[in-house]
Amino acid sequence: MRPPRYFRQLTDGCGNEDCTNEFCASCQRFRPVDKNSAAVKALELYKVNAKLCSPQKKDLDPDEHESSTNGYRPEFNRMTSSDLFPTKEAFSDVYFLTEDSVSVILGFCEEEGDFSALIRVIGRVFSSAEALTQSFRKTPTCSASSGGANGGAAVDADTEGETTAPPVDDTGGAAAAAASPASTKETASSPLGSNDDDLTLDVEGVRRVYDRLQAHEQIEASLVNALVYLCPNLELDLEYLDMYHTNRDYLNIFVLVMENTNLHSPEYLETALPLFCKAVCKLPVEAHARLTRVWSRLGAARIRRLMETFQQLITFTIISNEYDAETLVNDDETVVAATKCLKLVFYASVLGGDLDVGHNEDSDDSDSDDDEITLQELLGEERLYRRGPRVDLLERELGARTLDVRRPVVPFEDFVNESVNEVVEMDKDFTFYKVDADSKFSFQSCPFILNAVTKSQGLYYDNRIRMYSERRITALYSMAQGQQPNPYLKLKVRREHIIDDALVRLEMISMENPSDLKKQLFVEFEGEQGVDEGGVSKEFFQLVLEEIFNPDIGMFTYDQETRSFWFNSSSLENEAQYSLIGIVLGLAIYNNCILDVHFPMVVYRKLMGKKGTFQDLADSHPVLYQSLKQLLDYSGNVEEDIVTSFQISGTDLFGNPITHDLKEQGEGIPVTNHNKQEFVDMYTDYILNKSVERQFKAFKKGFLMVTNESPLKYLFRPEEVELLICGSRNLDFKALEETTDYDGGYSKDCQVVKDFWETIHSFGEDQKRQFLQFTTGSDRAPVGGLGKLKMIIAKNGADTDR
């Protein structure tokens, strides 16, 4: 048998001092290996029919000389085939795995046509946290001289002198035997520990192993069963033994398991994956952050696969159960655990995307460190009315927010799970979010999984409860002081002086008692009868906006190409006017009104805390963006061909030319190939930030007067804030027709009503927008589409068909 001959050659050599065979122990260049390594290497050499040395005659026993001279060498047959993995029992001591050792065992099983040996090994290793931690390491976990406690190849004293070479020893020598030169070289070039997020796990090797194992259905069942057995032990280890802090390689287990591309199959979804998600949730926040950073480097395809795996588990669980007001989806442990795991993938997508953790606006949030005791605290309701959203521990550990990414690896929309949005009870979920966060799970703590409609419901509950709170507080103060209670934010204005009246009233409120801005808004036009049930407020907002955005006032400039407004840096209006428009935007959100405003997206990004950057110019100042982009892309000599400096020009409110130095003495500093990026950055910063700093700061201050204690900033992305304020551009009049109610003798079957809808559906896009503007005060649909509008068609009197 040739494998035993290779083994003897690797362990004892051929006896020739001048041997040049690098796979012979007698060769001077040969590096000694232990018997386990020699056993695996012997099989590899046998497969490629490598060179065999001829042993020297002086090494033969005297009584065997005669036989050897006849071509028969019994000393090479003393090793039986059982010494080179001939039986299933030979693998009973394999206690951790490498890619090579799996290959050896799998090769044996394929030859035998019996995979029971590999199934037992897989079941034993994949059900043990300790074994998985030691498996598939980047570097050799043991050497010939290392001790058994460290995974070394301890050689039994009773067998060291024997010619047999068992494949593994009782401390896991198979892993040592399987360490390939390639992996050693890779590790030497990039030492572990150079980065806190580096893993000792050979991820590429794990992927190759899964590819080979998943070709055999018998082995898949073993993986499922092993994971079912493993996960409860992981939970216990993390919860009671703090195993992650004891051994940071413990994270290898979670990366290794998630590399299995079959986790979305029913076999895993029903049993193993739910248990695994619960185990992941037991990891401390620093381990979650590290796992997130590891996943963020996997690439788009693998991050998407992780996302889809957890999404499928959530959807599979929801459609397999029934939920109602008593049986909440929030109490489903599998859905909750999978959602928390999906959160790690979400932030991995953020970290791996186009990230900008800089360019943050200075915080203008109100100081919450007030020593004065509040009425809510006196009433025992301080948790319900806490100031601002809670801190996300994972976000803080990662040092990156959702707002910091321009384009995530996986689009935000793909993380929304419609099954969750259909069954979640937002009134209960809101209570969990605001009051019982320590004991109950709220989907608002993972807002990426909710769509804008569902999140707007949560915001609605928050706004209404705050309004109710302000009513109670006002009533209590009024009783104590003997005054008439004023539970609403009432504005009495004159149509012809609407800006002045609103400005004076709101400015007084913001100075005397800013919390009154959180009361429900009621508007009254002087000299006109009518109770504000929402329509009068909408008209008030519409008139204020028409006045403020009037080009003759000069507070904003209008871009015909983008059809949007931008702050006029030359405006002569004071900050109070800009604060008013900020308050109006906040009140619109707070009172669930849609406004007809047209700002570029950078305005909403700045409201959420980011500064404008070069990418924002494409939306707000497209002509300037193209010009600066051409400058950056120009390959010729910028200084000679373009001839510009760090001084820019513009016009004031009256059309007079003005200049501004981006740098001190900017007129004398030419833009060159070396500093053109600096010029573009400084130009952008001036246009979007510095030139309008006074106006925008006042605007943002007014906005935060209303929204600073709201979960708005935590729940919504900038594009969703625009949707809340302005509504959607997508108009589905079929949905509006289905949700419209009828009164005064009309019904959907009346001929007049049928003619009405036939006319509406025949309108062009502009006419539809004009109709919507006429009926609702805005040419956009609310969050969730036109189906969310409540329109009533009634007769204009009982004796008419109008």
Side-chain angles (χ1 to χ4, degrees):
M1 285 185 62
R2 298 185 68 187
R5 293 180 64 187
Y6 284 118
F7 178 80
R8 280 293 296 269
Q9 180 175 287
L10 289 166
T11 54
D12 298 335
C14 67
N16 183 2
E17 296 179 357
D18 299 323
C19 181
T20 59
N21 186 352
E22 61 181 341
F23 298 117
C24 179
S26 296
C27 178
Q28 293 183 357
R29 298 193 306 272
F30 181 78
R31 296 180 62 181
V33 295
D34 58 64
K35 292 183 178 181
N36 297 317
S37 300
V40 175
K41 193 65 180 176
L43 281 176
E44 294 175 357
L45 295 176
Y46 173 68
K47 289 179 180 179
V48 298
N49 197 24
K51 177 184 177 182
L52 269 172
C53 297
S54 297
Q56 301 299 303
K57 292 183 179 180
K58 62 180 180 179
D59 294 330
L60 300 177
D61 292 337
D63 53 1
E64 293 173 350
H65 179 70
E66 183 178 5
S67 295
S68 75
T69 57
N70 293 327
Y72 176 67
R73 302 181 179 88
E75 71 277 9
F76 285 103
N77 288 295
R78 287 181 186 162
M79 282 187 63
T80 65
S81 60
S82 64
D83 296 324
L84 290 171
F85 304 157
T87 63
K88 304 171 188 176
E89 289 73 16
F91 301 104
S92 59
D93 291 334
V94 175
Y95 127 102
F96 57 83
L97 294 172
T98 67
E99 182 181 4
D100 287 348
S101 60
V102 170
S103 179
V104 170
I105 303 172
L106 187 57
F108 165 77
C109 292
E110 288 174 343
E111 283 187 17
E112 294 291 320
D114 181 2
F115 291 90
S116 58
L118 182 57
I119 289 172
R120 281 198 293 271
V121 172
I122 292 296
R124 182 166 60 249
V125 173
F126 275 76
S127 62
S128 167
E130 182 181 2
L132 283 181
T133 305
Q134 293 295 323
S135 295
F136 305 108
R137 305 291 286 261
K138 284 183 180 179
T139 55
T141 55
C142 54
S143 63
S145 59
S146 61
N150 296 321
V155 180
D156 199 339
D158 294 335
T159 62
E160 185 169 2
E162 299 178 7
T163 57
T164 57
V168 291
D169 57 17
D170 58 350
T171 57
S180 64
S183 63
T184 305
K185 181 178 179 180
E186 176 188 352
T187 307
S189 63
S190 56
L192 296 171
S194 60
N195 188 314
D196 184 58
D197 299 325
D198 281 343
L199 292 173
T200 56
L201 182 71
D202 178 12
V203 177
E204 291 297 330
V206 169
R207 292 171 183 169
R208 291 189 292 268
V209 167
Y210 274 127
D211 288 342
R212 296 192 64 182
L213 295 181
Q214 288 167 354
H216 307 282
E217 294 183 3
Q218 312 97 307
I219 300 174
E220 192 70 26
S222 178
L223 287 170
V224 174
N225 294 332
L227 193 56
V228 170
Y229 183 86
L230 169 71
C231 291
N233 293 327
L234 293 180
E235 285 193 64
L236 294 173
D237 284 351
L238 291 168
E239 188 166 4
Y240 298 107
L241 301 179
D242 195 18
M243 283 300 297
Y244 175 76
H245 291 110
T246 303
N247 180 9
R248 286 176 56 81
D249 287 342
Y250 205 78
L251 198 70
N252 289 7
I253 301 172
F254 298 90
V255 179
L256 189 155
V257 170
M258 287 308 300
E259 283 300 320
N260 185 343
T261 56
N262 278 354
L263 290 177
H264 62 276
S265 63
E267 294 81 4
Y268 287 97
L269 291 178
E270 291 177 357
T271 54
L273 192 56
L275 293 173
F276 178 75
C277 289
K278 294 172 187 176
V280 173
C281 295
K282 296 295 182 180
L283 285 166
V285 66
E286 56 266 38
H288 282 158
R290 186 173 168 223
L291 185 58
T292 299
R293 287 189 285 262
V294 168
W295 283 346
S296 70
R297 297 193 292 268
L298 294 180
R302 296 191 179 275
I303 292 177
R304 175 171 287 279
R305 180 180 60 78
L306 292 172
M307 180 273 295
E308 291 173 347
T309 297
F310 293 124
Q311 288 281 37
Q312 285 175 322
L313 176 58
I314 294 170
T315 303
F316 176 82
T317 306
I318 289 177
I319 64 177
S320 301
N321 295 279
E322 294 184 1
Y323 305 96
D324 51 34
E326 300 298 327
T327 307
L328 300 175
V329 67
N330 303 67
D331 296 325
D332 191 312
E333 293 183 354
T334 298
V335 174
V336 170
T339 302
K340 291 179 178 178
C341 291
L342 185 63
K343 182 178 183 178
L344 305 186
V345 184
F346 174 80
Y347 277 102
S349 176
V350 168
L351 291 181
D354 182 8
L355 200 63
D356 175 20
V357 294
H359 303 102
N360 296 320
E361 294 271 10
D362 295 333
S363 176
D364 292 323
D365 294 356
S366 299
D367 183 13
S368 61
D369 296 330
D370 192 353
D371 293 334
E372 184 178 354
I373 190 168
T374 65
L375 187 59
Q376 284 90 359
E377 291 172 332
L378 287 172
L379 296 173
E381 299 174 347
E382 68 277 4
R383 288 189 302 168
L384 185 58
Y385 306 104
R386 62 180 61 158
R387 297 186 177 183
R390 63 179 58 82
V391 175
D392 189 296
L393 298 180
L394 177 62
E395 194 173 80
R396 184 171 64 183
E397 187 75 21
L398 292 171
R401 303 168 297 167
T402 304
L403 185 64
D404 293 330
V405 67
R406 292 280 186 173
R407 284 179 297 276
V409 176
V410 178
F412 291 123
E413 295 77 16
D414 291 353
F415 283 92
V416 175
N417 189 294
E418 293 301 336
S419 298
V420 170
N421 287 271
E422 290 173 4
V423 299
V424 64
E425 301 281 346
M426 283 307 293
D427 54 344
K428 306 268 194 327
D429 191 89
F430 171 78
T431 304
F432 298 157
Y433 176 70
K434 299 296 288 187
V435 181
D436 300 323
D438 296 334
S439 58
K440 288 283 190 177
F441 174 78
S442 166
F443 286 97
Q444 291 184 77
S445 65
C446 297
F448 56 84
I449 203 171
L450 303 175
N451 58 36
V453 177
T454 306
K455 286 189 284 190
S456 67
Q457 293 176 8
L459 187 64
Y460 173 82
Y461 286 121
D462 183 81
N463 294 345
R464 286 298 179 267
I465 287 178
R466 288 182 184 278
M467 290 177 181
Y468 175 70
S469 170
E470 292 300 329
R471 292 183 198 176
R472 293 182 63 203
I473 292 173
T474 300
L476 288 172
Y477 277 131
S478 300
M479 290 173 57
Q481 299 174 4
Q483 299 177 356
Q484 185 71 22
N486 183 20
Y488 302 106
L489 171 60
K490 289 188 176 181
L491 294 180
K492 188 173 184 179
V493 296
R494 297 167 292 175
R495 284 186 179 272
E496 61 274 15
H497 301 287
I498 189 169
I499 294 296
D500 294 335
D501 291 352
L503 180 62
V504 170
R505 177 63 179 149
L506 291 174
E507 192 171 18
M508 288 178 58
I509 292 173
S510 63
M511 288 189 300
E512 294 176 359
N513 190 10
S515 62
D516 280 357
L517 294 173
K518 297 177 176 59
K519 295 178 180 179
Q520 188 173 352
L521 177 65
F522 277 87
V523 177
E524 178 184 349
F525 286 104
E526 189 173 293
E528 300 181 20
Q529 294 182 349
V531 178
D532 187 4
E533 296 290 346
V536 180
S537 296
K538 285 185 177 181
E539 186 180 8
F540 164 77
F541 284 129
Q542 184 178 350
L543 293 174
V544 168
L545 292 175
E546 287 178 358
E547 187 78 19
I548 283 182
F549 286 101
N550 188 332
D552 296 336
I553 294 181
M555 290 180 63
F556 296 91
T557 60
Y558 183 71
D559 189 307
Q560 290 288 349
E561 182 178 351
T562 62
R563 296 185 178 182
S564 62
F565 290 92
W566 183 248
F567 297 86
N568 189 346
S569 59
S570 303
S571 174
L572 301 178
E573 299 293 338
N574 58 32
E575 285 87 347
Q577 298 275 26
Y578 287 99
S579 293
L580 172 62
I581 188 63
I583 290 174
V584 167
L585 257 65
L587 287 175
I589 293 177
Y590 210 68
N591 290 271
N592 204 28
C593 290
I594 298 176
L595 301 183
D596 185 25
V597 296
H598 305 275
F599 282 130
M601 186 56 62
V602 63
V603 171
Y604 301 102
R605 285 179 55 80
K606 285 169 69 68
L607 280 176
M608 303 291 275
K610 298 295 289 188
K611 289 184 178 180
T613 62
F614 177 63
Q615 296 181 58
D616 293 307
L617 284 178
D619 181 41
S620 62
H621 300 74
V623 175
L624 177 60
Y625 173 80
Q626 288 299 331
S627 177
L628 294 178
K629 190 175 187 300
Q630 290 174 5
L631 173 64
L632 291 175
D633 296 339
Y634 188 70
S635 58
N637 190 314
V638 172
E639 184 176 1
E640 295 181 0
D641 299 344
I642 298 182
V643 190
T644 188
S645 67
F646 276 75
Q647 184 182 76
I648 58 176
S649 60
T651 58
D652 63 12
L653 188 62
F654 304 102
N656 300 318
I658 56 175
T659 59
H660 173 77
D661 287 340
L662 298 177
K663 281 185 173 183
E664 189 175 351
Q665 304 297 322
E667 184 180 8
I669 304 175
V671 177
T672 67
N673 293 72
H674 299 294
N675 64 14
K676 62 182 180 180
Q677 183 65 59
E678 181 186 12
F679 171 77
V680 168
D681 291 341
M682 296 186 75
Y683 200 156
T684 301
D685 186 48
Y686 175 76
I687 294 296
L688 297 181
N689 303 310
K690 291 182 178 179
S691 66
V692 296
E693 183 175 8
R694 176 181 65 87
Q695 294 88 343
F696 186 82
K697 190 173 183 179
F699 170 74
K700 184 177 180 180
K701 178 182 177 182
F703 183 77
L704 291 178
M705 282 182 184
V706 185
T707 64
N708 64 329
E709 296 178 9
S710 165
L712 176 77
K713 188 174 181 180
Y714 179 79
L715 293 178
F716 293 88
R717 303 188 307 274
E719 56 270 24
E720 293 176 321
V721 174
E722 182 192 31
L723 187 64
L724 279 177
I725 296 174
C726 307
S728 171
R729 293 184 175 92
N730 184 26
L731 303 182
D732 182 2
F733 276 82
K734 290 290 185 182
L736 179 62
E737 180 181 0
E738 292 175 0
T739 57
T740 297
D741 290 334
Y742 304 93
D743 197 9
Y746 274 149
S747 70
K748 65 179 181 179
D749 298 321
C750 294
Q751 188 60 42
V752 174
V753 171
K754 291 180 180 179
D755 293 341
F756 170 80
W757 285 115
E758 183 180 351
T759 304
I760 292 296
H761 293 315
S762 68
F763 282 172
E765 193 69 21
D766 288 340
Q767 287 178 303
K768 287 181 177 179
R769 292 191 181 281
Q770 290 172 7
F771 169 77
L772 204 60
Q773 179 79 43
F774 171 76
T775 53
T776 68
S778 173
D779 64 353
R780 294 189 183 187
V783 177
L786 289 180
K788 297 296 181 180
L789 278 179
K790 197 66 175 177
M791 190 167 78
I792 300 176
I793 298 179
K795 284 188 176 183
N796 187 19
D799 57 346
T800 179
D801 279 335
R802 294 179 61 188

